[in-house]
Amino acid sequence: MDSLFDSAAEEAHRGQEPLAVRMRPRSLDEVIGQRHLLGPGTPLRRLVEAEAPMSLFLWGPPGTGKTTLAYVVAGVTRRRFVEVSAVSAGVKEVRAAIEQARRELGMSGRQTVLFVDEVHRFNKAQQDALLPAVENRWVTFIGATTENPFFSVISPLLSRSLLLTLEPLSDDDVRTVLERAVADPRGLDGRVRLTPEATGHLVRLAGGDARRSLTYLEAAALIADGEVTVEVVERAVDKAAVRYDRQGDQHYDVISGFIKSMRGSDADAALHYLARMIEAGEDPRFIARRIMIFASEDVGMADPTCLQVAVAAAQAVELIGLPEGRLNLAQAVIHCALAPKSNAVISAIDAAAADVRRGDIGQVPGHLRDAHYAGARKLGHGKGYKYPHDFEHGLVRQDYIPGTLRDRRYYQPTRHGAEAAFADRWARIRAFLRGVPGEDGKTR
């Protein structure tokens, strides 16, 4: 039992807690966002309502409610809450927490929620120390991670746990968090008014992170004279309001400037627009998708590594999120901007698609047709097909494209960057396959 001194100290500290802590939900119904996890009949809600033993991994970006859900589970099921940070704790601290939970369970029958934040930072030995407690259900284990647990958590621990993926909060979710904090007695209790413009600015700055939005709101409220405006927020968090509507003209104008700057090989301009989007709270996954598209549409075979870099940046953003993910995006942007340019890839697929839409498709040559099903051979399917690997250089002269399209040229490479080598190779291969003179006049 807590002493009177402990209770008094807790009561005195309660008013000094950060706004984000004071506004932490007390029930599943108070949690904002994550509807896919908290709706009626979902596994998490069933476990909590049944007060069943459980082991969970909560995977998601910062500020999406991982710690909040752990607190709510402990509160709703009336279990002790013990938090261990993987950043500072070792095997000794983990085992001590587990042993205390076992004693509590044996003496009073009360279960313990053992919450490990940043669990991906635990090494294998530290994670192994958790296994007996999870397997024997001495504790309700909840691990929070911002990194993919399939890469960072040992298989025995992951296989014994329910993995829940949390999503970034939507703009409407963050707006609800702010409005509730302004009005709620646990929060600002109506002492300040938050203007719609300031709300929008805070939503953009938050980038789907509820904790960040409340931290900025609290800082602004401290210097506000009854009203939190955009100017107050700018002074409080030292971030200028970037006029940027993710559904309006600014969204399309900035992304257009971004793409065209990379296409024009101006790395500085491209980085400027990248920074504008990030600072305005644009979804980094949207930015990463645009870079991947650009890598094939505007660079293509002139630098085939460009797509690899763009995909790697997108994967990195998924794994680590912002703010660190901005480094991966910036690297991809610089690579794309400075790469030699070619639009031969998009021109090729557009030309091929145009023929198909016009009905210029022709018949698949008989020797290329599928000959694996019964009766196909009788129809002549596959007859005369020559297996390229049986021939020198892996090339053999035979028709691949439908006869009516034999003279079509879809891929017409440039001489830019690495595509020059592909252009030479394609010219030789095409001349050989078609049996027509190449650019040098020779038939190969």
Side-chain angles (χ1 to χ4, degrees), residues 181-192:
V182 169
D184 197 294
R186 290 179 297 158
L188 301 179
D189 198 18
R191 293 190 297 274
V192 298

Side-chain angles (χ1 to χ4, degrees), residues 8 65 103 136 146 155 181 185 197 219 225 265 269 315 325 349 353 367 386 407 414 439:
R103 286 200 298 268
N136 295 294
T146 56
S155 296
E197 295 77 15
D225 187 15
S265 300
Q315 292 173 335
I349 187 60
H367 58 279
K386 300 171 185 176
D407 296 327
T414 69
E439 291 181 359

Side-chain angles (χ1 to χ4, degrees), residues 12 47 179 181 184 201 234 244 258 302 313 317 345 361 366 424:
L47 286 170
E179 291 170 349
D184 197 294
H201 186 32
E234 288 178 323
Y244 188 90
F258 175 62
V317 166
V345 169
I361 53 176
D424 291 338

Side-chain angles (χ1 to χ4, degrees), residues 154-397:
I154 60 173
S155 296
L157 191 56
L158 195 58
S159 65
R160 290 164 172 79
S161 307
L162 178 65
L163 173 60
L164 302 177
T165 304
L166 282 72
E167 299 173 350
L169 271 63
S170 69
D171 287 357
D172 288 340
D173 290 335
V174 175
R175 190 173 286 106
T176 300
V177 168
L178 293 167
E179 291 170 349
R180 179 185 291 180
V182 169
D184 197 294
R186 290 179 297 158
L188 301 179
D189 198 18
R191 293 190 297 274
V192 298
R193 176 180 174 271
L194 185 60
T195 68
E197 295 77 15
T199 302
H201 186 32
L202 286 168
V203 168
R204 287 191 294 273
L205 290 174
D209 186 328
R211 181 170 55 243
R212 186 187 301 166
S213 74
L214 292 175
T215 300
Y216 288 166
L217 172 61
E218 184 173 29
L222 286 174
I223 64 172
D225 187 15
E227 184 174 70
V228 175
T229 63
V230 170
E231 292 73 19
V232 170
V233 175
E234 288 178 323
R235 293 204 315 272
V237 303
D238 194 27
K239 281 184 181 278
V242 180
R243 196 171 77 83
Y244 188 90
D245 178 3
R246 272 176 265 180
Q247 304 300 322
D249 291 344
Q250 282 293 308
H251 166 83
Y252 295 105
D253 288 346
V254 172
I255 194 64
S256 178
F258 175 62
I259 296 297
K260 289 171 181 172
S261 295
M262 286 195 294
R263 184 179 295 144
S265 300
D266 191 330
D268 286 340
L271 288 169
H272 165 77
Y273 291 118
L274 172 66
R276 277 176 67 167
M277 289 188 286
I278 292 174
E279 292 300 316
E282 180 62 83
D283 185 346
R285 294 171 299 181
F286 166 76
I287 302 172
R289 286 194 297 270
R290 295 304 308 172
I291 297 172
M292 286 190 287
I293 294 168
F294 179 92
S296 291
E297 180 177 354
D298 288 287
V299 176
M301 301 303 291
D303 181 0
T305 67
C306 200
L307 179 59
Q308 297 171 3
V309 171
V311 171
Q315 292 173 335
V317 166
E318 286 283 358
L319 288 171
I320 65 176
L322 292 177
E324 291 87 352
R326 76 192 194 283
L327 302 175
N328 310 112
L329 292 174
Q331 179 179 344
V333 166
I334 293 170
H335 189 120
C336 287
L338 299 184
K341 305 299 189 294
S342 168
N343 69 345
V345 169
I346 187 173
S347 297
I349 187 60
D350 283 352
D355 275 354
V356 171
R357 285 194 292 267
R358 281 195 300 267
D360 293 341
I361 53 176
Q363 295 292 323
V364 177
H367 58 279
L368 298 185
R369 295 184 189 179
D370 181 22
H372 289 88
Y373 63 90
R377 291 286 181 183
K378 293 180 180 179
L379 297 173
H381 291 188
K383 185 178 180 180
Y385 173 66
K386 300 171 185 176
Y387 188 54
H389 295 291
D390 290 339
F391 295 83
E392 187 180 7
H393 307 304
L395 282 173
V396 58
R397 183 172 293 155

